[in-house]
Amino acid sequence: MTQVYDRALRPVGLRATQLTLLQALERGEGITPSRLGMQLAIDATTLSRTLRPLQRRGWIAIAPAADRRERRLHLTPAGRRQLARAQNKWKRIQVRLRKRLGRGEWRRLMVALERVTAAVLDEGPDPRYHRRRRKP
């Protein structure tokens, strides 16, 4: 599924995971990376690796918060324009997939995805991602 969205977003230079981050930043302007990771159920390493190219392209900015130990994420004007371009591509693929699956199957898929997401979020972060693995 991700490959379908990645292919649709390729002309605007984004991957599906990056689009998700831009959308989340639009809704949660000034969010901390840790809060963003919790909301999206993404571990810190993956989040950092996914944010880096967005920052290099000038689509997001990372600024210190009032508490200098924290950082806040913001969409830049270029990031907002990029998000708009990507959302147009995303909407087109959504329409095509909905037509192929049909209304009932699409609805079942969305319910299943919501349930999986809720289950993952209810479990909390996987402790394996928060400690170093020891070599046997």
Side-chain angles (χ1 to χ4, degrees):
M1 190 77 152
T2 303
Q3 291 175 5
V4 171
Y5 285 93
D6 281 347
R7 200 169 32 254
L9 293 169
R10 192 173 295 133
V12 294
L14 281 174
R15 299 185 66 128
T17 52
Q18 294 169 322
L19 173 60
T20 300
L21 289 177
L22 292 179
Q23 290 170 325
L25 288 175
E26 181 183 45
R27 287 188 304 273
E29 187 65 33
I31 193 170
T32 64
S34 60
R35 182 79 179 144
L36 180 62
M38 284 190 305
Q39 284 181 357
L40 298 176
I42 300 174
D43 67 90
T45 302
T46 302
L47 179 63
S48 178
R49 189 175 43 240
T50 307
L51 287 172
R52 228 174 280 129
L54 300 177
Q55 185 181 18
R56 271 196 313 269
R57 292 177 182 145
W59 298 336
I60 65 165
I62 302 174
D67 177 347
R68 290 276 194 207
R69 295 172 294 183
E70 283 190 342
R71 299 175 304 143
R72 301 280 178 177
L73 302 169
H74 304 273
L75 275 180
T76 64
R80 290 182 192 287
R81 287 189 300 275
Q82 187 65 13
L83 176 58
R85 284 191 291 271
Q87 284 176 325
N88 287 331
K89 299 285 186 188
W90 180 82
K91 286 174 186 173
R92 284 189 204 130
I93 194 67
Q94 286 284 94
V95 167
R96 284 202 314 255
L97 288 173
R98 281 182 190 167
K99 284 181 182 177
R100 285 185 183 165
L101 289 174
R103 179 176 282 162
E105 191 64 34
W106 181 262
R107 191 172 295 129
R108 283 188 289 281
L109 175 62
M110 292 300 107
V111 168
L113 288 173
E114 287 176 14
R115 287 182 179 161
V116 168
T117 301
V120 168
L121 293 175
D122 285 347
E123 285 293 315
D126 186 334
R128 293 178 296 176
Y129 292 122
H130 299 287
R131 67 172 188 257
R132 289 181 166 243
R133 290 188 182 196
R134 293 184 182 157
K135 293 183 180 179

